[in-house]
């Protein structure tokens, strides 16, 4: 039985990789250690409902802040991913279990218990399942909608690269409020950073969401500090706008262990501000570009701003 708390068992494919140095974080990256009563309450609700969160599994630096506010990003379909991206801290390998038919109900119960106005639901990649878990996503969306009809739902999905086109249709037909799928990095770095994925497939996935439901908000994000340059980041922005993506997130890559992809550099807050200005200039409705930006960081507040931006744009049209 694997012990996922041990790095060599959590990431067996990385065990023989040479170590990459982990440089000291600059002062703009540092965050407070998680703790406090509200954090403990959120933790208890997650454990009582047998739920996994990407906040914990991916080692998010914002977990203390978010959980103290009762916000947690649910991660469905288990805790073992069939991909082996070199940046990611989620356990990899062959998932030991089938999908849990009761999980959508447990997620819905936790959302109601936390009283969330906005929830983010993500997952591991499940290439071992015919539809990639698309129907499971749809069931989870419907369960949350039934239990908490006023809660807005944001999903962060896999790329469904090995699935029939109907897989994506299942998810879109369940009508989440925001459909997020991260491109993660610039196309030139895909072979070493995201080897199991394809840049233009992921881009086309988001474009297809808009074609199926033009009213659905689409969102995607990348990390910087992996070895990209400014020009390639701006090209990704152009590619996203060509696919009619509404919301862009850009955050600093932080290396989980010495066996993961090395940090090329720490991008300064001024550079992030320049990326944000450029992205708004290219027509995104919403942009979050800071060192600590993550897909679901401040997602509820950002969704409100995203909705307001669309209404303002339509009012001017």
């Amino acid at each position: 039985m694997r012990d996922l708390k041990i790095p060599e068992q959590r990431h067996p494919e990385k065990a023989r990789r040479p170590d990459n140095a982990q440089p000291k974080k600059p002062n703009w990256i540092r965050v407070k250690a998680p703790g406090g009563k509200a954090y403990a309450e959120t933790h208890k609700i997650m454990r009582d409902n047998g739920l996994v969160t990407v906040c914990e599994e991916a080692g998010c630096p914002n977990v203390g802040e978010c959980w103290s506010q009762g916000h947690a990003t649910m991660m469905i379909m288990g805790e073992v991913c069939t991909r082996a991206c070199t940046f990611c801290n989620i356990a990899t390998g062959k998932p030991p279990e089938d999908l849990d038919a009761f999980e959508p109900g447990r997620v819905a119960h936790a959302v109601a218990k936390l009283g969330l106005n906005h929830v983010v639901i993500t997952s591991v990649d499940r290439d071992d399942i015919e539809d990639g878990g698309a129907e499971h996503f749809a069931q989870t969306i419907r369960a949350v909608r039934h239990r908490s009809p006023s809660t807005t739902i944001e999903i962060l999905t896999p790329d469904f690269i090995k699935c029939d086109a109907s897989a994506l249709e299942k998810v879109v037909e369940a009508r989440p409020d925001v459909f997020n799928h991260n491109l993660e990095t610039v196309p030139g770095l895909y072979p070493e950073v995201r080897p199991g994925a394809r840049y233009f497939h992921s881009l086309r996935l988001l474009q297809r969401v808009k074609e199926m439901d033009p009213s659905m908000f689409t969102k995607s994000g990348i990390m910087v500090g992996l070895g990209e340059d400014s020009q390639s980041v701006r090209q990704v922005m152009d590619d996203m706008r060509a696919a009619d993506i509404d919301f862009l997130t850009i955050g600093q890559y932080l290396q989980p262990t010495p066996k993961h992809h090395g940090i090329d550099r720490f991008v300064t807050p001024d550079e992030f501000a320049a990326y944000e200005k450029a992205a708004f200039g290219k027509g995104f409705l919403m942009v979050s570009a800071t060192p600590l930006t993550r897909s679901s960081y401040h997602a509820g507040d950002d969704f409100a701003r995203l909705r307001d931006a669309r209404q303002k744009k339509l009012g001017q049209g």
Side-chain angles (χ1 to χ4, degrees):
M1 187 72 176
R2 291 171 66 185
D3 184 346
L4 299 185
K5 294 180 180 179
I6 301 173
E8 292 78 11
Q9 294 187 34
R10 187 177 183 83
H11 304 288
E13 82 291 345
K14 296 179 176 69
R16 296 187 180 182
R17 286 171 56 96
D19 286 358
N20 286 309
Q22 291 180 280
K24 184 180 179 181
K25 296 173 186 174
N27 56 12
W28 64 79
I29 291 287
R30 292 169 193 162
V31 295
K32 291 182 180 179
K37 182 179 178 183
Y39 175 90
E41 288 174 354
T42 302
H43 185 274
K44 186 176 187 301
I45 290 170
M46 295 301 106
R47 296 294 84 81
D48 287 351
N49 287 279
L51 297 175
V52 178
T53 70
V54 74
C55 323
E56 297 167 286
E57 297 303 315
C60 180
N62 304 314
V63 64
E65 178 186 346
C66 294
W67 282 34
S68 294
Q69 297 171 3
H71 300 160
T73 298
M74 317 291 180
M75 190 171 82
I76 59 175
M77 302 198 290
E79 56 185 335
V80 177
C81 185
T82 53
R83 303 284 174 90
C85 299
T86 60
F87 66 87
C88 187
N89 198 39
I90 292 170
T92 56
K94 184 178 183 338
E97 70 283 308
D98 294 330
L99 296 182
D100 180 353
F102 298 101
E103 184 175 53
R106 293 202 309 277
V107 170
H109 178 76
V111 169
K113 188 83 172 172
L114 289 165
L116 297 181
N117 294 319
H118 184 84
V119 63
V120 182
I121 301 166
T122 188
S123 77
V124 292
D125 275 280
R126 290 296 299 258
D127 294 320
D128 57 319
I129 299 169
E130 187 175 358
D131 74 350
E135 179 59 32
H136 198 74
F137 255 105
Q139 289 175 3
T140 305
I141 295 165
R142 289 192 290 264
V144 172
R145 191 78 75 199
H146 177 74
R147 186 73 184 269
S148 303
S150 63
T151 299
T152 48
I153 301 171
E154 179 173 329
I155 57 169
L156 174 55
T157 76
D159 58 14
F160 304 116
I161 198 168
K162 297 184 178 181
C163 307
D164 185 80
S166 62
L168 182 61
E169 293 166 8
K170 290 178 187 177
V171 183
V172 174
E173 285 169 2
R175 294 195 54 78
D177 296 280
V178 181
F179 193 111
N180 185 0
H181 171 66
N182 285 333
L183 296 185
E184 305 292 11
T185 188
V186 301
L189 290 176
Y190 260 55
E192 58 182 287
V193 173
R194 204 174 173 224
R198 300 294 178 268
Y199 177 79
F200 287 105
H201 172 87
S202 287
L203 200 61
R204 176 63 183 143
L205 182 90
L206 288 155
Q207 187 177 41
R208 285 183 60 218
V209 171
K210 276 291 189 186
E211 290 170 356
M212 285 185 269
D213 187 347
S215 70
M216 190 171 291
F217 288 109
T218 51
K219 178 177 176 180
S220 190
I222 61 168
M223 299 167 288
V224 290
L226 285 160
E228 73 296 322
D229 59 26
S230 175
Q231 182 178 351
S232 62
V233 171
R234 284 168 166 75
Q235 182 60 57
V236 171
M237 292 181 192
D238 289 336
D239 292 345
M240 286 188 183
R241 286 305 302 134
D244 203 17
I245 293 167
D246 299 303
F247 187 170
L248 167 65
T249 61
I250 306 177
Q252 171 71 50
Y253 167 62
L254 297 176
Q255 183 182 344
T257 75
K259 300 297 183 183
H260 283 76
H261 193 287
I263 293 178
D264 177 67
R265 69 189 187 95
F266 289 105
V267 178
T268 67
D270 286 346
E271 290 176 273
F272 277 103
Y275 281 143
E276 180 179 291
K277 184 178 180 180
F280 273 122
K282 292 176 185 294
F284 287 96
L285 289 178
M286 183 66 198
V287 181
S288 178
T290 72
L292 289 172
T293 289
R294 298 296 182 266
S295 291
S296 53
Y297 188 44
H298 295 163
D301 293 339
D302 286 345
F303 175 72
R305 285 194 282 271
L306 179 64
R307 191 163 45 188
D308 290 346
R310 174 183 281 177
Q311 290 172 349
K312 183 178 180 182
K313 182 179 179 181
L314 292 175
Q316 291 174 344

